[in-house]
Amino acid sequence: MAEAAQQKVASAAADEVAVELSGVHKWYGSFHVLKDINLTVYARERIVICGPSGSGKSTMIRCINRLEEHQRGKIVVDGIELTNDIKKIDEIRREVGMVFQHFNLFPHLTVLQNLTLAPIWVRKQSKAEAERTAMHYLERVKIPEQAAKFPGQLSGGQQQRVAIARSLCMNPKIMLFDEPTSALDPEMIAEVLDVMVELAEEGMTMLCVTHEMGFARRVADRVIFMDEGQIIEQNAPETFFNNPQHERTKLFLSQILGH
Amino acid sequence: MAMDDVVTPRYAPGQHPALPAPASTVGVVGWLRANLFSTGPDTSLTLVPFGVAFLAAAWFGGVSIMGSIVIGILIAVGVRIVARVAFGNPVIDNTVLTIVGAIIIFLIADVLLNFTIFDAVWSASGRADCAKSPDGACWGFVTARFSQFMYGFYPDAERWRVDVTGIFAIALIVPILFGQGRIRAYAVGLFLLAFPIVGFILMYGGLGLEIVPTNKWGGMMLTLVIAMTGITASLPLGVLLALGRRSDMPAIRNLCIVFIEFWRGVPLITVLFMASVMFPLFLPEGVTFNQLLRALIGVALFSAAYMAEVVRGGLQAIPKGQYEAASAMGLSYWKSMRLIVLPQALTIVIPGIVNSFIALFKDTTLVLIIGLFDFLGTIQTGLNDNAWAAPNVPMTGYVFAALVYWAFCFGMSRYSVRLERKLNTGRQH
């Protein structure tokens, strides 16, 4: 099983690299949050990142679109190196979509306006074109009838699906998910995961911070386990769940799968 | 209620529809139950005084049935109030407040209406006419002086120019306040770019119009010029200062902090006085700087500093996630401020912004101390006129000023309520 995973990674290696982090360190004040992170993500790869809270997993993916700044090491996204150059940062952000734990929809805009804002103002699309794309993605996340409503009138699950559609409207090459189901009621988690599974099946490059282990088993090419700012272990899901290598991983898995 | 339980039909599990709330908890019946008939003793405390008063009035007083009912209700409510006060009921409820409020309003209205209407002198040609009814207002003074209150010392023959400017202003402000979409955007553009130039040429002169120096400007016209300039300049300036104060760039941040704290730290009177007396000392000899312009700049910068802090309050209320979502989509700083953050932040602080506007409108009266005669200034000048030296004239002038200022400020306040309601539709978080 481990070999199969290796092969999968190896075959992906022939593809282009989507994201590369090499020797990345980050500190919050004197607190060392990311310690020597080395990670290569290939195009169309689906990666699930898990680990205890405070392990640095959110910080790591937030470094990829520069919501957090790294202090040492190198991050290359879609062939562009992240530096202080604001133009390069904006270039990367156009190609990288992000879905947040708390949705972060814009409450003063309707669902449709939430979806068309970035395509119109960043991609310079016409309003009609942006609205066509927006309705297309709203249909894909199965809530086209909510287009005229404000986010505050939707359920949590619907809001998160709108947030996913909003990112997709920018036609991103890479999608980052930062605990997308952690703020949802159990009944709503399924509807959001369904959308994410569909997206994975279509070949989107995805990095998901999540504790939905069912999702990880079903769609991930690789599961990464982080603790105390380091990548402890990464493996194909079968190996990761059935034959974890490190004691820390075993403990973590026994705790979250134990119930 | 037990009776409700009996008549409510039973539904299979999962089939129970949402039913309307019982009539006893909402509407008039709900209010009466909550306030007059909530318990047994409570009910008797209402009904017994009513019954006694009704019977007494109808049988022994010879009052009609309707009259007796009214007397009964009044007595019943009176008893309730006394009971609440005497027995230390912890809740002074709406009934009590309503009655007390009504009494206070009646007393105030009595004094006000007598002064402004029933005892007022409506036409007068001088102090002798005014003195005929010293307990009432002398509106003849206001009508005789009205054009000066409006235009100050602006020459009679040229006053049409001020009127035309006023009409332009109204024609632009109405679509800005009540218009939609494109029309509103055009009105804002014209108001900010074209109107100041056209208005200045019309009122000051040039292009074939006779020059009217600003020291001839006065009255309501001057008040509106200062207030409108202050309001229009302070909001955008305040927004920029607020954004600057939250900037990551230390130079900009510190500059904004120093600016805001300086202007907030000095009284407006000082600002105006410095602008009028000290400022010319710094200018090279022969260079003069218009007195009104100095006041305008002083007022605008002063209120911009206050506005900045109001807006900053709104910016702080916007969750970090909004900034992050905007950045993550690739929106630049200015675009995310303009499209995401400011629309939300400014909506939150509408009450504070309008508060500042109202304060600014009233603070324009302080220009009197640097020799500009605004609306209040022209009224006070009128009071010094010997021809109108009657005891009720000063009171008339100040009541008139108060009414006019109140009307403007109340208008702004109502508009802000309207705007808040409009912007809040369906946007609950």
Side-chain angles (χ1 to χ4, degrees):
Chain A
M1 260 188 279
E3 281 159 30
Q6 290 296 329
Q7 256 178 357
K8 214 169 179 179
V9 174
S11 73
D15 291 335
E16 57 185 301
V17 173
V19 180
E20 179 148 38
L21 290 84
S22 35
V24 171
H25 290 260
K26 176 171 176 61
W27 289 262
Y28 284 127
S30 58
F31 177 59
H32 200 169
V33 250
L34 294 180
K35 300 168 184 159
D36 192 27
I37 300 288
N38 291 287
L39 174 68
T40 306
V41 182
Y42 299 96
R44 285 174 295 286
E45 218 186 343
R46 280 95 52 161
I47 290 184
V48 163
I49 302 152
C50 58
S53 66
S55 61
K57 47 198 195 310
S58 285
T59 310
M60 183 178 82
I61 68 164
R62 287 160 62 89
C63 281
I64 294 173
N65 65 352
R66 196 62 163 200
L67 288 183
E68 304 286 351
E69 202 177 321
H70 61 287
Q71 278 105 26
R72 198 188 294 168
K74 191 171 155 185
I75 301 179
V76 179
V77 184
D78 193 32
I80 305 164
E81 190 185 343
L82 264 174
T83 58
N84 281 326
D85 186 348
I86 197 96
K87 271 192 188 149
K88 294 222 166 119
I89 294 173
D90 281 343
E91 220 172 299
I92 287 170
R93 283 174 174 169
R94 278 198 288 274
E95 306 303 334
V96 179
M98 187 163 203
V99 175
F100 300 87
Q101 181 178 358
H102 295 289
F103 332 133
N104 296 352
L105 294 175
F106 305 131
H108 63 302
L109 300 175
T110 64
V111 166
L112 191 65
Q113 287 168 332
N114 263 280
L115 266 66
T116 57
L117 185 115
I120 290 174
W121 291 92
V122 179
R123 289 248 190 255
K124 309 286 176 205
Q125 289 179 8
S126 71
K127 194 174 170 223
E129 192 187 349
E131 282 180 355
R132 228 175 9 249
T133 321
M135 286 314 293
H136 167 75
Y137 283 113
L138 276 184
E139 263 156 42
R140 278 196 39 187
V141 300
K142 302 179 190 70
I143 36 176
E145 73 283 356
Q146 313 287 355
K149 289 198 185 161
F150 287 95
Q153 297 166 312
L154 306 185
S155 73
Q158 289 173 327
Q159 290 193 47
Q160 194 59 298
R161 284 186 281 157
V162 170
I164 294 174
R166 179 174 72 174
S167 291
L168 294 177
C169 281
M170 283 291 280
N171 198 15
K173 291 182 181 157
I174 300 158
M175 286 284 287
L176 309 174
F177 291 85
D178 189 1
E179 306 209 25
T181 55
S182 301
L184 296 174
D185 289 343
E187 281 189 318
M188 294 173 180
I189 291 176
E191 63 188 51
V192 170
L193 288 179
D194 284 346
V195 171
M196 289 170 63
V197 169
E198 264 181 49
L199 198 59
E201 281 164 359
E202 285 162 25
M204 173 66 76
T205 311
M206 293 165 71
L207 283 94
C208 312
V209 173
T210 181
H211 293 134
E212 296 298 328
M213 291 302 138
F215 173 79
R217 270 182 206 274
R218 208 167 138 197
V219 304
D221 295 313
R222 239 195 300 171
V223 181
I224 290 175
F225 175 68
M226 286 181 74
D227 188 32
E228 295 182 350
Q230 302 163 77
I231 295 181
I232 302 289
E233 179 166 357
Q234 47 177 314
N235 235 321
E238 307 91 88
T239 325
F240 180 83
F241 289 112
N242 301 333
N243 191 14
Q245 305 297 309
H246 288 262
E247 284 307 313
R248 184 65 188 91
T249 320
K250 284 176 193 163
L251 180 65
F252 177 76
L253 286 175
S254 75
Q255 275 166 348
I256 65 164
L257 298 174
H259 300 285
Chain B
M1 291 282 102
M3 269 195 42
D4 288 345
D5 288 346
V6 176
V7 294
T8 303
R10 301 210 165 269
Y11 299 95
Q15 301 299 310
H16 204 309
L19 301 174
S24 56
T25 60
V26 291
V28 178
V29 179
W31 183 88
L32 289 174
R33 281 185 81 109
N35 289 286
L36 299 177
F37 304 101
S38 59
T39 59
D42 201 52
T43 306
S44 43
L45 200 57
T46 305
L47 286 186
V48 171
F50 172 79
V52 171
F54 175 78
L55 292 178
W59 263 333
F60 306 113
V63 182
S64 70
I65 297 293
M66 281 309 290
S68 305
I69 291 175
V70 171
I71 290 171
I73 291 174
L74 287 177
I75 297 288
V77 170
V79 168
R80 300 286 317 211
I81 295 168
V82 171
R84 269 168 200 275
V85 175
F87 302 128
N89 191 320
V91 184
I92 297 183
D93 76 358
N94 290 336
T95 323
V96 177
L97 290 177
T98 309
I99 303 293
V100 172
I103 292 168
I104 292 171
I105 288 174
F106 175 78
L107 292 176
I108 293 173
D110 187 46
V111 173
L112 260 183
L113 291 179
N114 279 338
F115 179 79
T116 56
I117 295 172
F118 300 123
D119 294 338
V121 180
W122 293 93
S123 64
S125 53
R127 61 181 181 198
D129 295 331
C130 288
K132 279 180 202 155
S133 177
D135 291 334
C138 185
W139 295 123
F141 165 71
V142 173
T143 46
R145 288 276 179 161
F146 190 74
S147 63
Q148 205 185 60
F149 294 167
M150 292 295 115
Y151 304 97
F153 307 107
Y154 208 88
D156 280 347
E158 306 294 331
R159 283 180 180 175
W160 62 269
R161 285 156 50 180
V162 179
D163 298 339
V164 171
T165 315
I167 290 167
F168 280 164
I170 291 168
L172 289 174
I173 288 172
V174 168
I176 290 173
L177 294 185
F178 303 105
Q180 299 260 326
R182 198 158 285 181
I183 294 177
R184 182 187 197 158
Y186 282 133
V188 170
L190 283 175
F191 187 74
L192 293 179
L193 301 173
F195 178 71
I197 300 167
V198 174
F200 177 77
I201 292 172
L202 268 170
M203 294 200 291
Y204 182 75
L207 297 182
L209 290 170
E210 189 191 322
I211 301 279
V212 181
T214 52
N215 58 16
K216 292 241 159 69
W217 298 19
M220 182 47 76
M221 162 208 172
L222 185 69
T223 293
L224 289 177
V225 165
I226 299 170
M228 267 164 42
T229 317
I231 285 172
T232 332
S234 67
L235 186 57
L237 269 179
V239 168
L240 287 178
L241 284 168
L243 291 175
R245 192 167 183 168
R246 287 167 58 87
S247 166
D248 293 332
M249 288 174 267
I252 292 181
R253 189 175 57 239
N254 289 325
L255 200 72
C256 292
I257 291 175
V258 168
F259 182 94
I260 292 169
E261 297 306 337
F262 171 77
W263 289 98
R264 276 206 313 172
V266 287
L268 182 55
I269 283 203
T270 322
V271 172
L272 293 172
F273 217 66
M274 294 274 277
S276 159
V277 181
M278 297 285 285
F279 184 68
L281 301 179
F282 295 109
L283 290 175
E285 216 158 314
V287 178
T288 57
F289 210 70
N290 184 284
Q291 175 91 333
L292 175 61
L293 190 59
R294 275 182 267 157
L296 286 179
I297 293 171
V299 167
L301 296 183
F302 182 82
S303 34
Y306 276 89
M307 191 58 71
E309 290 299 280
V310 172
V311 174
R312 195 166 66 93
L315 292 174
Q316 273 170 346
I318 306 301
K320 205 167 143 237
Q322 294 288 307
Y323 294 86
E324 288 179 350
S327 306
M329 293 166 119
L331 287 171
S332 67
Y333 172 81
W334 289 108
K335 276 180 192 157
S336 55
M337 289 303 134
R338 195 181 119 199
L339 300 167
I340 310 297
V341 176
L342 283 173
Q344 297 183 58
L346 294 178
T347 307
I348 294 172
V349 293
I350 285 173
I353 292 176
V354 173
N355 214 12
S356 292
F357 284 171
I358 287 175
L360 166 63
F361 188 82
K362 293 185 295 187
D363 279 353
T364 57
T365 51
L366 293 175
V367 298
L368 190 62
I369 66 135
I370 58 166
L372 295 174
F373 286 89
D374 73 328
F375 181 63
L376 186 63
T378 49
I379 291 178
Q380 277 185 320
T381 316
L383 299 181
N384 295 333
D385 186 349
N386 229 358
W388 292 95
N392 52 353
V393 166
M395 186 67 166
T396 306
Y398 288 123
V399 166
F400 177 64
L403 283 175
V404 171
Y405 280 108
W406 182 82
F408 273 97
C409 296
F410 186 67
M412 287 193 252
S413 159
R414 293 318 297 171
Y415 179 74
S416 93
V417 171
R418 198 190 104 102
L419 193 64
E420 273 175 69
R421 218 174 272 153
K422 193 176 124 195
L423 292 177
N424 275 331
T425 323
R427 288 182 194 177
Q428 294 80 11
H429 285 263

